[in-house]
Amino acid sequence: MHLLSAGCASAVLLVSLLSQVTSLKPIIGQYGEMLKIPCNSGAIKAEDIAITKWKYDKGDGVPGYLLVKQKNQNVSISATDEYKVRVSMDENSSLLISAAKLSDQRTFTCMVVTGGDVFEYPVNVLIHKLPAKLEISDKAEELEIGRLTKLGKCVAKDANPPANITWFKNNKPLEADGKGISIKASVTVESNTGLSTTTSILEYSAMKEDTGAKFECRADGLPLESSSMNFTITYSTENIMLEVSPQKELKEGDNLTLKCVADGNPAPTSFNFHLKGELVRVENTDTYTIANVSRNATGEYKCSLIDDTSMEATRNITVTYLDINLSPSGNIVKHAGAALNLSLQIDSSGKAEVSWTKNNAKLDKQPDFTKLGYSDSGRYEWTVTVGHITRTASFDLTVEGPAVIKSLFKTRSNDGQHKVLTCEAEGSPKPAVSWSINGTLLSESPFINGKITHKIKVVPSANLTVNCTVTNRLGVDSRAINVSSLIEEVRMDKQDQSEDSDQTRLVVGVIVGLLIATLVIGLAYWVYSKKSKQGSWKTGEKECGSSEEEKKLEEKVEENSQKAEM
């Protein structure tokens, strides 16, 4: 203690010579909280420290002493001012100041004596305080387009350093531009606490798109923002539209709703609706509904402001409709071979798409009934579509005709044990088939397109004449066929086979005889020709010459050859 007193000149000189002062390291303390100022930050080991002393700068270079601690002794408070009850020191030699104030923003120095050396560690202290909150007051009731209006006042109270306020619209910062945005900020300091209050006033010239916009203010660099606020933007009507529901297609029978939309704010509440020349005025609403519209509702519609009829909107509205007429319809009965004339009529608001089906199967084109056949019977449906409207018409066609036998024939079974009689008939209604003899039914085909096939199996013991008879309510037809017994057919087959064998043998014999005769004649001619050539050589005749006998012999051979071929 005496070494550092002002009365010891030699000690002061020693301190000034041995002191090593570090650079200032500012720390930030929070207003009203415990302020902790570190000493030497562990640069000197605690066991090497003989004396630790804290002081502060009162101003003008005048020091104020706070406390001192010698090794192995308790802390001694040397402060005589307000710090007397606010300062203490922890085990790491850090200075502790309770309830930090703005007046604590000064330089504090930690002096450390180790053996013969003295070190000083000055620390610059700053005290910060966040504003209690951000409040917007003096709010405008509404904003008018094109008019610079005081939107509100944002206040940040009791802060250090003073808060810097920024205004936001829809989370985007606003900056003063001297035209549509004006921001005026001011700061006042509380004399008792030294804390600052920042006030920012925003003047704003609204635009139409600001309707529903959110405004708020924030403190820069601080986690503080005000509650957002909305304003009513007032402006006169500049545009008007006529909306129609339904939007896509209005069909005959629908309800048509007209809505007049004006962009003014506040919006107009009464309108004029012009319905194809008829004027209808509505109050306290912007819609008008026409129920169950007809095709006559097609035309031009308008809506306008009551106080300014020149402000109007126009829409052309088309009512889609479709009528079809098919004649004849219902159940139609026609005779086979007759004609059916269809009358098709379409009355629509646009081009129609047409399709046909028969028994629910799609047809490629309209059916042709110039000459009806049994296959034309069925259910026909005519479908017509215009836009989203679809109409259908149908009829059931039945083609009738008397029962007629188309063919009657017999066959023998593969095993040769019985006869199969087949009767093919057509007609409508379905013909009933009957036989003049009893037989075993083999099959009856399905009745399709007016045709039916009936087969029976019989085993005749004698030659018979069998009748097939077909009947429906329009007629009867019968046809006969001769059926021989199986025994007679077997005998006749054997006889036919024997006759065929004899004839075959006879033909073969004739052919073989002719071939032999031809060979004999040819051989005789060859021998004669050879002898004749020998004789000619002896008499000196030409080698290639031929006698009259040779010519006759050649003609004979040719004649026999032709007979053999026949």
Side-chain angles (χ1 to χ4, degrees):
M1 290 291 290
H2 297 292
L3 177 63
L4 300 175
S5 64
C8 298
S10 59
V12 172
L13 178 60
L14 178 61
V15 170
S16 62
L17 293 175
L18 300 178
S19 294
Q20 300 178 20
V21 181
T22 63
S23 60
L24 298 180
K25 295 181 180 180
I27 66 169
I28 298 175
Q30 296 300 318
Y31 184 87
E33 298 181 6
M34 176 69 73
L35 177 61
K36 182 178 181 180
I37 307 171
C39 175
N40 74 64
S41 300
I44 302 175
K45 296 181 179 180
E47 58 269 20
D48 295 335
I49 299 175
I51 300 174
T52 301
K53 185 173 183 177
W54 279 96
K55 63 180 180 178
Y56 68 96
D57 183 7
K58 288 185 175 183
D60 298 330
V62 178
Y65 296 100
L66 298 174
L67 50 77
V68 64
K69 182 181 184 302
Q70 296 187 24
K71 189 173 184 179
N72 299 326
Q73 293 185 13
N74 293 327
V75 175
S76 174
I77 303 297
S78 54
T80 57
D81 52 16
E82 60 158 335
Y83 286 114
K84 183 176 182 179
V85 295
R86 296 177 58 213
V87 298
S88 61
M89 190 170 64
D90 66 9
E91 57 186 9
N92 295 323
S93 300
S94 297
L95 177 64
L96 304 177
I97 302 177
S98 63
K101 303 177 182 180
L102 293 189
S103 58
D104 295 330
Q105 294 190 122
R106 58 177 86 235
T107 301
F108 293 84
T109 302
C110 175
M111 299 174 61
V112 177
V113 179
T114 61
D117 294 332
V118 177
F119 300 88
E120 288 191 350
Y121 299 94
V123 181
N124 191 29
V125 175
L126 300 177
I127 303 299
H128 285 185
K129 181 181 183 300
L130 294 177
K133 60 180 178 178
L134 294 180
E135 294 180 335
I136 298 178
S137 59
D138 299 342
K139 299 178 184 179
E141 293 184 359
E142 60 183 31
L143 300 179
E144 184 178 349
I145 289 181
R147 179 183 176 184
L148 196 64
T149 305
K150 180 181 177 181
L151 186 145
K153 179 173 67 175
C154 183
V155 179
K157 295 181 178 180
D158 299 334
N160 190 65
N164 185 27
I165 294 176
T166 301
W167 286 91
F168 288 81
K169 183 187 79 172
N170 293 333
N171 291 323
K172 293 183 179 180
L174 296 174
E175 295 182 0
D177 58 9
K179 297 178 181 180
I181 302 175
S182 174
I183 300 175
K184 299 176 182 178
S186 61
V187 178
T188 59
V189 179
E190 174 64 38
S191 58
N192 294 332
T193 62
L195 297 175
S196 300
T197 295
T198 302
T199 301
S200 180
I201 298 174
L202 171 63
E203 293 182 340
Y204 189 79
S205 179
M207 296 178 289
K208 187 181 297 184
E209 53 267 28
D210 290 327
T211 300
K214 294 182 178 181
F215 292 85
E216 60 188 354
C217 60
R218 302 176 188 173
D220 288 359
L222 301 176
L224 290 175
E225 63 182 50
S226 68
S227 57
S228 60
M229 56 184 180
N230 299 87
F231 297 93
T232 300
I233 311 297
T234 61
Y235 50 90
S236 58
T237 299
E238 297 178 355
N239 297 291
I240 189 171
M241 293 186 302
L242 178 58
E243 295 181 353
V244 178
S245 179
Q247 297 180 359
K248 292 185 178 180
E249 181 183 42
L250 178 65
K251 303 186 298 297
E252 194 169 35
D254 288 345
N255 293 337
L256 170 62
T257 299
L258 306 174
K259 183 176 182 180
C260 203
V261 180
D263 63 354
N265 193 30
T269 58
S270 301
F271 297 91
N272 289 326
F273 286 94
H274 305 263
L275 314 176
K276 296 182 65 177
E278 179 185 357
L279 178 63
V280 177
R281 178 171 177 169
V282 297
E283 301 285 348
N284 300 321
T285 183
D286 58 0
T287 61
Y288 183 78
T289 299
I290 304 173
N292 193 24
V293 296
S294 67
R295 63 194 66 184
N296 297 327
T298 296
E300 183 181 74
Y301 292 78
K302 298 180 181 179
C303 75
S304 64
L305 299 180
I306 290 178
D307 56 357
D308 184 4
T309 55
S310 64
M311 187 72 68
E312 67 176 13
T314 303
R315 288 284 297 271
N316 286 316
I317 297 175
T318 300
V319 179
T320 304
Y321 63 90
L322 173 62
D323 294 332
I324 66 172
N325 183 40
L326 172 63
S327 179
S329 60
N331 294 319
I332 304 172
V333 179
K334 287 284 186 177
H335 285 283
L340 174 62
N341 296 320
L342 294 178
S343 174
L344 311 173
Q345 296 180 353
I346 300 175
D347 183 15
S348 65
S349 57
K351 183 178 180 180
E353 296 181 2
V354 179
S355 64
W356 283 90
T357 60
K358 177 187 178 183
N359 298 329
N360 295 322
K362 188 174 181 179
L363 300 177
D364 294 334
K365 59 182 179 178
Q366 178 179 326
D368 181 15
F369 298 132
T370 54
K371 185 177 181 180
L372 293 172
Y374 295 116
S375 61
D376 292 322
S377 296
R379 179 175 179 81
Y380 293 84
E381 187 171 81
W382 181 41
T383 302
V384 184
T385 301
V386 174
H388 290 84
I389 304 177
T390 299
R391 301 279 189 264
T392 60
S394 62
F395 61 88
D396 291 293
L397 174 61
T398 302
V399 179
E400 294 185 339
V404 176
I405 295 176
K406 305 302 290 183
S407 66
L408 176 63
F409 57 92
K410 61 185 177 181
T411 57
R412 187 190 298 181
S413 64
N414 294 331
D415 58 6
Q417 299 299 313
H418 57 269
K419 295 290 186 70
V420 177
L421 305 183
T422 301
C423 187
E424 295 180 345
E426 69 176 15
S428 181
K430 175 184 176 182
V433 182
S434 62
W435 298 86
S436 60
I437 64 172
N438 293 327
T440 303
L441 177 63
L442 285 181
S443 66
E444 180 179 290
S445 67
F447 181 60
I448 300 175
N449 295 330
K451 296 181 180 180
I452 188 171
T453 300
H454 203 274
K455 293 183 179 182
I456 63 171
K457 178 178 67 176
V458 297
V459 184
S461 58
N463 295 338
L464 299 173
T465 298
V466 180
N467 292 317
C468 175
T469 303
V470 292
T471 307
N472 65 8
R473 60 180 176 82
L474 298 178
V476 178
D477 191 15
S478 182
R479 187 177 295 188
I481 187 172
N482 294 322
V483 181
S484 59
S485 68
L486 291 174
I487 298 174
E488 179 65 17
E489 286 193 356
V490 170
R491 185 184 65 80
M492 292 298 295
D493 288 345
K494 289 181 178 180
Q495 181 179 346
D496 291 343
Q497 291 175 1
S498 176
E499 292 176 353
D500 291 343
S501 178
D502 293 341
Q503 291 177 357
T504 300
R505 286 195 294 271
L506 176 61
V507 171
V508 171
V510 171
I511 293 173
V512 171
L514 289 174
L515 291 174
I516 292 173
T518 300
L519 292 173
V520 170
I521 294 173
L523 180 61
Y525 172 75
W526 177 80
V527 172
Y528 174 79
S529 175
K530 186 175 181 182
K531 289 180 179 181
S532 297
K533 288 180 180 179
Q534 291 176 352
S536 63
W537 293 338
K538 293 178 181 182
T539 59
E541 295 180 353
K542 295 182 180 179
E543 295 180 0
C544 295
S546 59
S547 63
E548 290 296 329
E549 290 80 2
E550 290 175 345
K551 291 182 178 179
K552 291 180 180 180
L553 184 58
E554 290 177 356
E555 291 175 357
K556 188 65 174 179
V557 172
E558 179 68 21
E559 181 181 353
N560 290 334
S561 297
Q562 291 178 357
K563 288 180 180 181
E565 291 177 357
M566 293 175 61

